[in-house]
Every structure is written in C-alpha cells, then in structure tokens.
Amino acid sequence: MSRIVAFETTDIRFPTSLSLDGSDAMNPDPDYSAAYLRIVTDAADAIDGHAFVFTIGRGNDVQVAALDALADHLVGRELEPLLDDMGATNRELIGDSQLRWLGPEKGVMHMAIGAVVNALWDLKAKRAGLPLWQLLSRMTPEELVALVDFRYLTNALTPDEALAILRAAEPGRAEREAELLATGYPAYTTSPGWLGYSDEKLARLCREAIADGFGQIKLKVGADLDDDIRRLRIARETCGEGYPIAIDANQRWDVSDAIAWVNALAEFDLAWIEEPTSPDDVLGHAEIARGVAPVRVATGEHAQNRVIFKQLLQAGALAVMQIDAARVGGVNENIANLLLAAKFGVPVCPHAGGVGLCEAVQHFSMFDFVAVSASREGRMIEYVDHLHEHFVVPTEVRGGVYIPPLAPGIGMEMKADSRTAYTFGAVDAAA
Amino acid sequence: MSRIVAFETTDIRFPTSLSLDGSDAMNPDPDYSAAYLRIVTDAADAIDGHAFVFTIGRGNDVQVAALDALADHLVGRELEPLLDDMGATNRELIGDSQLRWLGPEKGVMHMAIGAVVNALWDLKAKRAGLPLWQLLSRMTPEELVALVDFRYLTNALTPDEALAILRAAEPGRAEREAELLATGYPAYTTSPGWLGYSDEKLARLCREAIADGFGQIKLKVGADLDDDIRRLRIARETCGEGYPIAIDANQRWDVSDAIAWVNALAEFDLAWIEEPTSPDDVLGHAEIARGVAPVRVATGEHAQNRVIFKQLLQAGALAVMQIDAARVGGVNENIANLLLAAKFGVPVCPHAGGVGLCEAVQHFSMFDFVAVSASREGRMIEYVDHLHEHFVVPTEVRGGVYIPPLAPGIGMEMKADSRTAYTFGAVDAAA
C-alpha cells in the first residue's frame, strides 16, 4: 500500500500572445496556460501523476484554486483502492455534493475534476508501464463499462449497449494495435490558419502542410467575410482541388449568420465548419447542420460534458465529434464520449493544440481505433506545432501521422525546468 | 465623476448542514454560503455595491477566487460610464477573451461575472434611490433592449421582438405597479418539504404554510419512492384536495426513471415536477415533459445561461421557468431570460431560498409583472424562511405574498456583523 502525500499545483503560463500563435475570431490574444497538478505518493517507485487543465491565460489562477479545492479528497488516501476502481474514484469526485453546486459538471470545477482523474490515470498507466492508450486497450469490455458514469446517458446509451460495442471490437484488437504501431494515426494541421498570420505566411504554411504529409488543413474564419474569402482562395489555390480544407469559427456566429456565412464560402469545398455558434446550443447546431449541408458541422472542444455530446448526437447536430483531453471530467468521461460517438456512428476527430493537448488526446483516438469504433476512416487528430518541447514525452508526428507513444502515462507531464521557468510571476517567464 | 477604489471579496458560510435545512436528494448536507462582493467607490455619497454568488459550502473559496480574477476590470475605473451603459459593461465582462475559455458563460466564472454585474446594478439602483424592480420598470423599452446581449438568441428572440414585447406592456405599467404595491406578489413555500424532516414536522409545516396564506407548497423527492408516496400522502391529506403541491427531484433521475417515478406519484395531483434530470439535458426534459403530462415540468435554477433557457423553450421542455438571481450572468442576462419566457408564453416562477436569494430574485418577478409579461397569472416566487435576518433589507412575506421592497438596491446587501461573524474560518462562525 502507498499513500498520496502531496497534491502540488502550479500556475504555468506561456506568453504566446506575443506571436499571435493561436489567434482566432473569439480569442485574439491567448497566452497558452496550464493549471498544473502533480500527485505525489510515498511509494518506493517514485512515480508521480501529472495532468493539467488548459486555459488561455487570465483565470488560470482560478483554475488552480479549483484544483486546490479537491486536495482534501486525495491527500492522505491510500492510492491502490483509488486506482483499482477508477469508476468509483471518478464518481466520488463528480459526486461531491457541495462542489457539485459550482457546475454541475461544467466549467472551472469540472475541468479541475478532470485533471485529478487524468493525473490518477497517469499514475495508473506509469505503474503498469504502459501508455494510456495501451492500458485502456487491454482492459476487458466489462472493466471499461465499469469506468463510465452512465447517469443522464441511459436514454441514448445503456451499459448493455456500451458492452455490445466494446465486445464487437474485441476480436480485432491485436491486429489493429499492430496496424497502428506500423502506420500511425492520421493528423491534420491548424498551423497555417490562425487569423493573425499574413497571406504570405498562410500560403507558405499551406505548402509546408502538404509537404509534411498532412491530410487536411484548417483555417480560422468569422472575423471578416471578405478576408475569409481571400484567405480561403489562397489556401485552395495553394493546396489544389480536392485537398480537404476545414474552417473554424470559434463560436462567432448566431444561427442565421452561420448558415449565411458558410454558404457564402461554399465554392471552396469545405471539409467541415467547426464551432459555428455557442457550444451550448444543441438545437442551434442542428439548425445549422441542416442549413449548410453538405458541409458538415464539427464541434466539441468546448462541450462541457457527456450530456451535451449526447444531445448533439441525438439531434443530428454534428457530423464530426471533437473531444478535448482537458475540458470534460477526464479519462472516464471521454470514454463515455467515445462510446456515444460509436453508438451514433459519428467519427471522433479530437481537438488539440494549445499546450500539451496533442500529447494527451492522441491516447483517446488510438484507444478508440483499437477497442471502440475499430476504425480510422474519416478520423484525424488535430495537430499544432507549438510548445511540444516542454513535455517529457513530446508528440511525434511524421509524414502527417501521429506515431503512437510507447512511454508510460497519459502524456501530460511537463519538464520540471519548463514548469519552473513558466510559473506565472516567476522572473524567467517574463524573459 | 467617481472611481471604483476597492473590490472587496469575502468567503461567507453558514453551518446549515447541522439542522438539515435545505437537504434534498442531491444535496444532503448543504452549508449555505456566499462568495460575497462589495464594490467601493470614492464618491461622496458613500454608497457601496453589494452582491454575491450563492454556493452550498465547499468550493466557496474557488468562487471567491473567480470574483478576484475580475477585480482588474473594475478597480481604478470611472464609475459613471460603467453604470450609464450597463449593456456595454456586461458585454465587456462576458467578452474577456481569456477568461471566456473557463466557461464560456457557465459555471464558476460566469457566476462571478453575474455577481459583479449585480453589484454594479446595486450601486446604480441605490444612486437612483430605487429598488431594482422599480429602476428597471421605469426604463424605456429601448433602454431595456440595449441591456440584453442577444448573441446566440436571435434564432428565437430578436431585438425587434423584444422591443415589441416591452412596448406592448408599456401602457399598463403604472396601473400594475400600483396593483403590485397594494397586493404584493404571490409566494409559495418549500419549507415543509426538505428530505431531512420527520413526518410530524412535515405535517406541521404543511398546516403552517396554509395558515400563513401560501398558495402552493413543494416537496423534495427522488431518494426513495416509498418515502415519497408516504410523504406526499401526508401532505395531500394535510393540505386537502386541490391545494397545489409541487415536487422537486433536484436532478436525481435519468429520463426513463423520471417518467416512471412521476407517473407513480400521479394520484397526488402534482402542480409540477422540478429538476427531474440534468439541467443540461434540453432534449431529456422535452422527453420527460411528454412522458409525464399533464404534470408540468419546471426547471432553471441550474440553467447556466440564456442559451439553455432558449433551447428549453424552443423544445417545449418546460412549462414553468425558474430563473435564479445568482446563477447566470446577472441582471442583464435575467432580463434576456424574462424576455425569452414572455416570447414563448411560459410563466416565470423564480428559484429562491438558500441565503439571500429571496431578497434578490423578487425584483425580477416584480419587474416582469410591471414591464415584461404584464401578468401574475400562474406565477409565484419560491419562499424559504431561512437566514433572512442577516440582510440589511430582509424579504417581507405576509399572507402568502412578497411585499414589494422599497429600499434602494438589488437586495443582496448582508449586514456587516453577519459578514464578519460568518466569514469562513472566523472564530464566531464555529460557535
């Protein structure tokens, strides 16, 4: 038996706004940040659990305060019972009857719970000597179903239905794992498309994306229609006919604006329109999906929890589901999200970028391929080439595919030097 | 001109869990709490702005941290431009491009913005020498429409439609204000119905509710069906045939459980079923509404913002809309919510109770009657007789009606002594 002896949180911020990396119609000047958590035990193996909530600057301190509010649930506890029944551990954290008022299951408090759950999974995977995707892919369907909180899901997905999905995928697991290790998981890149970039930089980055083997690019839109037309023309001419180009409005529009704007861009043969409106607006997304067909609607990086994903799927409001590793309640809730997508036959193309999101979210797509949807068809993981150098095991993308990580853990561990240097308020971070 | 010179926050908690006041199926042991805000100016009038976010204990410190994250938006600013254009002030706070990531417009960060907006309205109303409901009721339709952030609403409610609603109510304002002052606003009481109370206490409080003139009571349900049947039988026998009895499940059920449970209680002639499932589940509420008719579905105290209310109304998911004074983004967003309800012809029966929620939310119902829906038909404000003694202007309920407050402000100002005594960690609060 070992005990959790420390629950260490850090406010880490990178001054990315200085270069306009990550600028879009709603987020003109993000400072990519992490409300970082390290769970320390007294075990002889000296393994820590690392995870974080991603934010874009101001308010990262609020997110750290929310993490700190969960320390009492963990510090002093025996670790093994927590890790052995991660379903119960997840339900205990989600179910805190007083903290629940602050959501429930949404926003700052829910993301904090997600980071705690993720840090415990990091510990569990490191102890098992496996990357998270392999750890999950080797659990039985029954074990996986036990991880999911089915509360509020059963009118769309029952435990029995989830079990049937996982059992159907079981026979081919070994074969698909071998295929994944041999050929990787497809990536697309958002690097060319930030609003703050010049036309020349856009064209150059489009050429580089194709040369690097990416199967799709994505452009930020929604600030100015004429600009969007000009930038999409450059992208289309540079990439050529038939090359997939998606667009992302980052919640900029109301429903009718979204429909009109996307239809005004129809000539550019769009792969999808992402986040056309409020992430809370299930019915609005459904109306947009009908209004912009055949362009597909994608959303999910701000979907607060499995209840929103459930409804987006029930309403036919999305054709591409974009889970995020640090928005919802951690690994357990993302397993629910993958099962919902599989039930409704919708491909999952995770949101990534920011800081450390690529490192983490790839595990979910790889687990999905091996053990849930059993398919990579129409599926890609977003890739942005920022800030990977700060991670102990940085994402490896080559030839337009994610190379499956083999290092144990969830992939969110940031280098100690980087954590120190970019601690908010530290002298080095200002340099 | 005057300036904001201090933005003072306090973590205030009342140990209500000791008496089981406020116990329900999801909240067994709440400690009613306030993340309290006082905005201080350098004006000669010495008027402060007071507001708070209501929480139920743990995490109140996180809520205070979220308030503190907004101080930089206010401290040092000239006050009059902020108060003169509260529409712009509200949009500035909601629109902070970095803080927005923590919601957007939901949870801890959104409730903090709501408290700041409410504290500014408290200042504005006190400067005008009017209670909030009168201040709002004397603004022109054009001024009121300018307060609303219509982003994400226009597929259900346009500014022109809002203007038409307000203009239609304009001629009768003076008459209805006089009527309100003469007869008050109907109240119902939840005091008898907490799960932690004995059957004897339930029966006694039912008799008292009727003797006190309340037009409806509400019972908490959802922990155990046999208990619910026994308690509803006591309530029905005590109150008599035809007396309105509502029930509240506090999000306890999945969709099919909700339908089965409520139908199992059909013999008790229920006024409404409140919060049958997740507050995020618009489509689930719609399914429940169809499944339990003619029992009406009520919800809203945890509806995170106007986008959720919009969809609940669009989907026919609720028949009674329950706004809360401290959940959404403050006065401005609640004006949007009232306009949405009016557009869809659904009565608003606000959530209250907790600490200070009655004091605040009554202003919205009174404003609604005078200047928006122009009706009290089928409308009531919840009343719970807890903790009013801590407020500078406590709610006055007599003969089952709220007596319209005439003291200037929004009603959320807590007595200085109470704030000191119940500051979390203070010696007196442990007594």
Side-chain angles (χ1 to χ4, degrees), chain B residues 232-255:
Chain B
L232 275 165
R233 185 159 293 136
I234 292 168
R236 177 53 71 209
E237 284 171 2
T238 309
C239 298
E241 289 300 308
Y243 184 84
I245 300 175
I247 58 171
D248 183 354
N250 293 88
Q251 314 167 26
R252 182 64 181 247
W253 302 313
D254 277 28
V255 170

Side-chain angles (χ1 to χ4, degrees), chain A residues 224-239:
Chain A
D224 181 280
L225 181 57
D226 290 336
D227 281 350
D228 290 348
I229 291 172
R230 193 188 72 256
R231 292 169 62 251
L232 275 165
R233 185 159 293 134
I234 292 167
R236 177 52 73 209
E237 284 171 1
T238 309
C239 298

Side-chain angles (χ1 to χ4, degrees), chain B residues 115-412:
Chain B
V116 173
V117 168
N118 286 342
L120 291 171
W121 276 102
D122 189 51
L123 263 167
K124 186 175 168 93
K126 286 173 176 169
R127 285 184 159 207
L130 294 170
L132 178 69
W133 69 271
Q134 274 185 335
L135 176 68
L136 295 175
S137 298
R138 290 167 191 193
M139 294 176 79
T140 66
E142 291 76 10
E143 287 170 335
L144 289 167
V145 166
L147 295 173
V148 173
D149 183 356
F150 284 91
R151 173 166 270 183
Y152 306 139
L153 291 189
T154 56
N155 65 325
L157 178 73
T158 65
D160 282 349
E161 289 171 324
L163 202 56
I165 290 166
L166 294 164
R167 282 182 179 155
E170 211 176 3
R173 282 184 181 188
E175 190 183 330
R176 285 189 299 275
E177 181 171 329
E179 201 181 325
L180 183 65
L181 289 167
T183 60
Y185 200 103
Y188 76 91
T189 178
T190 309
S191 292
W194 304 107
L195 283 186
Y197 289 175
S198 68
D199 290 354
E200 291 67 29
K201 189 167 182 179
L202 165 62
R204 174 170 59 78
L205 292 173
C206 283
R207 285 189 296 273
E208 289 179 16
I210 291 176
D212 289 344
F214 289 104
Q216 178 177 302
I217 62 163
K218 188 170 75 185
L219 265 61
K220 301 293 182 174
V221 299
D224 180 281
L225 182 58
D226 289 337
D227 281 350
D228 290 348
I229 290 172
R230 193 189 71 255
R231 292 168 63 252
L232 275 165
R233 185 159 293 136
I234 292 168
R236 177 53 71 209
E237 284 171 2
T238 309
C239 298
E241 289 300 308
Y243 184 84
I245 300 175
I247 58 171
D248 183 354
N250 293 88
Q251 314 167 26
R252 182 64 181 247
W253 302 313
D254 277 28
V255 170
S256 61
D257 299 331
I259 293 171
W261 200 299
V262 174
N263 287 335
L265 301 175
E267 63 179 298
F268 300 110
D269 183 22
L270 304 171
W272 71 57
I273 167 62
E274 179 171 328
E275 287 208 304
T277 191
S278 164
D280 308 338
D281 199 349
V282 171
L283 300 177
H285 278 88
E287 200 176 330
I288 293 167
R290 291 189 295 271
V292 304
V295 176
R296 299 178 303 160
V297 169
T299 196
E301 72 177 85
H302 280 84
Q304 64 206 30
N305 58 36
R306 69 199 180 286
V307 180
I308 295 295
F309 278 120
K310 177 187 77 165
Q311 293 177 85
L312 287 165
L313 292 163
Q314 288 176 311
L318 53 70
V320 177
M321 180 160 143
Q322 302 179 297
I323 63 168
D324 181 283
R327 171 71 58 185
V328 300
V331 170
N332 296 60
E333 191 160 35
N334 265 327
I335 295 173
N337 292 335
L338 293 174
L339 287 163
L340 282 165
K343 164 78 189 286
F344 285 87
V346 166
V348 173
C349 296
H351 170 249
V355 56
L357 298 179
C358 299
E359 278 72 12
V361 88
Q362 60 181 337
H363 291 273
F364 297 100
S365 282
M366 293 174 188
F367 161 63
D368 179 68
F369 174 49
V370 175
V372 188
S373 76
S375 171
R376 284 177 297 187
E377 191 65 35
R379 291 163 171 85
M380 288 165 285
I381 307 168
E382 184 167 21
Y383 181 69
V384 187
D385 58 356
H386 298 155
L387 305 174
H388 300 289
E389 64 276 19
H390 299 294
F391 288 84
V392 173
V393 185
T395 294
E396 213 182 328
V397 167
R398 282 203 308 264
V401 301
Y402 275 76
I403 309 300
L406 295 176
I410 195 173
M412 297 176 110

